[in-house]
Amino acid sequence: MNNRRQDVIESAHQVFAEKGYRAASIQNILDRSSISKGTLYKYFSSKSDIILAVFKWLAHKIEQARDELILYRDPKDLDTLKEQISIQIELLETYKMFSLFQEVFVSDDIELKQYIKQHQAIRIKMDTQTIN
């Protein structure tokens, strides 16, 4: 991934975590990431496009943490599953994702709502398959 794009994603996450999704502005993200508006729009078309990238980036980080946990363990072991879920919850809290999810659910952005629903459904399906 392009380093500048990744810097924008991480800066945007910080802004969203501090201000909330609705209160955060593109200008806040520009100020935090120290890039021009043109550069930002080279990578993202809107604020919702940015938060979607943030969600995907954080989902990837959570998935990596879970994968590292089961690297040398039996993924069907119930204690392993419990630890994976604990890691996921801990990271969601650390990255203040619960509050961002809540804001998205009360927004009018159907695409973001759909992403969260699909991601959670996939995660639940994977967890269920692990224990079966």
Side-chain angles (χ1 to χ4, degrees), residues 3 12 38-39 43 55 61 73 76 87-88 100 103 108 122-124:
N3 285 340
T39 301
Y43 301 117
F55 286 158
K61 288 177 79 70
R73 297 170 82 171
K76 294 188 184 270
I87 285 172
Q88 180 172 346
L100 292 176
E103 276 195 87
D108 295 330
I122 290 168
R123 180 81 262 143
I124 290 167

Side-chain angles (χ1 to χ4, degrees), residues 52 55 97 100-102 104-105 111-122:
L52 189 58
F55 286 158
M97 296 306 293
L100 292 176
F101 288 153
Q102 285 178 317
V104 166
F105 276 121
E111 181 184 356
L112 289 176
K113 289 179 184 180
Q114 191 62 33
Y115 170 79
I116 293 172
K117 287 177 186 177
Q118 286 175 340
H119 180 74
Q120 290 305 83
I122 290 168

Side-chain angles (χ1 to χ4, degrees), residues 20-128:
Y21 173 65
R22 289 185 291 182
S25 69
I26 293 291
Q27 189 59 51
N28 297 137
I29 296 167
L30 291 170
D31 292 345
R32 178 66 58 98
S33 61
S34 301
I35 63 165
S36 70
K37 190 179 278 192
T39 301
L40 182 129
Y41 284 112
K42 175 181 172 186
Y43 301 117
F44 305 100
S45 61
S46 64
K47 187 168 83 166
S48 64
D49 192 27
I50 297 170
I51 197 160
L52 189 58
V54 168
F55 286 158
K56 289 177 181 179
W57 167 64
L58 292 173
H60 179 72
K61 288 177 79 70
I62 290 168
E63 195 64 34
Q64 283 180 316
R66 289 175 60 133
D67 288 348
E68 287 174 18
L69 177 72
I70 64 168
L71 190 59
Y72 299 106
R73 297 170 82 171
D74 178 7
K76 294 188 184 270
D77 178 64
L78 191 56
D79 287 332
T80 300
L81 177 62
K82 288 176 186 176
E83 287 182 54
Q84 286 181 299
I85 293 170
S86 292
I87 285 172
Q88 180 172 346
I89 291 169
E90 181 181 317
L91 290 173
L92 287 168
E93 288 174 347
T94 299
Y95 292 118
K96 299 184 179 183
M97 296 306 293
F98 289 121
S99 60
L100 292 176
F101 288 153
Q102 285 178 317
E103 276 195 87
V104 166
F105 276 121
V106 298
S107 77
D108 295 330
D109 196 318
I110 295 167
E111 181 184 356
L112 289 176
K113 289 179 184 180
Q114 191 62 33
Y115 170 79
I116 293 172
K117 287 177 186 177
Q118 286 175 340
H119 180 74
Q120 290 305 83
I122 290 168
R123 180 81 262 143
I124 290 167
K125 184 177 180 180
M126 289 173 67
D127 289 345
T128 304

